[in-house]
Amino acid sequence: MPFKKTPQKFSAAIKTVEIGTGDRKIALGGESVMPLYSFDGPIENAPKVGVEIVDTGFADAPEGLKAFYAGCETMAEQAKKAATMEGADFLCLRFESADPNGANTPVEDCVAAAKEVADSVDLPLVIMGCKNNEKDAQLFEKCAEALAGKNILVLAAKEENYKGVGAAAGLAYNQKVGAESSVDINLAKQLNVLITQLGVSGDSIVMNPGTATAGYGFEYVVSTLERIRLAALGQNDTTLQMPILTPVASETWGVKESVTEEADIPEWGDRETRGIDMEIATATAVLAAGSNGVILRHPQSVATVSRLIRELM
């Protein structure tokens, strides 16, 4: 007896959020089917792949990544090189050095670097901070002001600083706002509600409900993403109908499989290959679970995940 497939139809849809301007702008979301279910209905905006650039440089990076950026001294030079990667849809600037417990780079210096990048490339920009809530709020506000008109995404506002980030980026300078929570559907929903209550439109919000590296409590990430998508589409929960963007690189390149040198555990094989594998495995898993975009670091990872997306669409 032949198998007859019944498409899963939803009357609801994920909101579409645009980042960037001109011919290179990207759109996240817009689908009314489960992740990558192009066989159930059209997916107008395929998932996007971004390239992470860290302002602390490549001292601890694997040799292949160092070689790719050889000769690039500034973030702007790195950005121009990253923009040449196969499959790169946008760039993510992560200002790790701004951490008060680290280099404590002044906000003004970070903003100057972001402005130089924006003047050097035409790809959409996402701005990430140093995970210090107070410093990030200052950084996001100043970047939103300096890059007014560029339609950037600041990633991300948290429960501790959403008022300042939302008011500055989302209202004063009309940028896009990321909402970052900690792998819990209720926390994700609550933060979306709080940001919209400030006056930021739901069409200007992108969620980051949290992530982890595959193998590190990753089942919680998958179940949270799936529950968010099922609630958004199946229950028409408008507070969860924002697209999802997942910063994969900052997680996967810090785990032991990606940092342990081959000399220390020879049976694990080449360190760089392991890091690439961890990045690709995590990225593909979050895309299948509900993410509309991922942020990666290695050229091979970016190319591989981009090709996978094209094949599935």
Side-chain angles (χ1 to χ4, degrees), residues 183-185 209-210 212 216-227:
V183 197
D184 184 297
I185 186 173
Y216 287 79
F218 195 66
E219 65 272 18
Y220 293 103
V221 175
V222 171
S223 62
T224 298
L225 293 176
E226 289 178 339
R227 291 178 64 199

Side-chain angles (χ1 to χ4, degrees), residues 5 26 43 65 69 75 77 81 106 118 127 130 135 137 144 192 196 229:
K5 179 184 170 299
I26 61 172
I43 298 178
L65 196 59
Y69 287 106
M75 288 193 85
E77 291 173 345
K81 184 66 175 179
I127 305 294
C130 60
K135 188 71 173 283
N192 288 343
T196 54
R229 279 295 166 253

Side-chain angles (χ1 to χ4, degrees), residues 163-311:
K163 290 183 179 178
V165 175
L171 298 178
Y173 302 109
N174 198 33
Q175 310 281 22
K176 300 302 188 294
V177 179
E180 180 178 345
S181 50
S182 301
V183 197
D184 184 297
I185 186 173
N186 295 314
L187 293 177
K189 179 172 181 175
Q190 175 181 298
L191 185 55
N192 288 343
V193 170
L194 291 173
I195 294 176
T196 54
Q197 285 178 345
L198 282 177
V200 179
S201 169
D203 296 325
S204 295
I205 298 174
V206 174
M207 288 192 290
N208 172 19
T211 189
T213 302
Y216 287 79
F218 195 66
E219 65 272 18
Y220 293 103
V221 175
V222 171
S223 62
T224 298
L225 293 176
E226 289 178 339
R227 291 178 64 199
I228 288 173
R229 279 295 166 253
L230 286 169
L233 296 175
Q235 301 172 23
N236 195 22
D237 189 336
T238 58
T239 64
L240 291 171
Q241 288 175 348
M242 294 76 169
I244 295 172
L245 182 62
T246 305
V248 171
S250 56
E251 293 284 341
T252 57
W253 286 99
V255 298
K256 62 184 180 182
E257 290 85 353
S258 302
V259 300
T260 303
E261 296 293 346
E262 184 176 2
D264 297 324
I265 310 181
E267 60 267 30
W268 279 14
D270 178 63
R271 173 200 169 191
E272 186 160 10
T273 300
R274 282 185 265 120
I276 294 168
D277 289 345
M278 295 297 286
E279 191 168 38
I280 292 173
T282 303
T284 53
V286 296
L287 289 172
S291 185
N292 297 98
V294 290
I295 299 170
L296 309 177
R297 187 177 301 173
H298 200 283
Q300 188 172 331
S301 303
V302 173
T304 301
V305 174
S306 296
R307 288 197 296 266
L308 173 69
I309 292 171
R310 290 196 299 271
E311 290 294 327

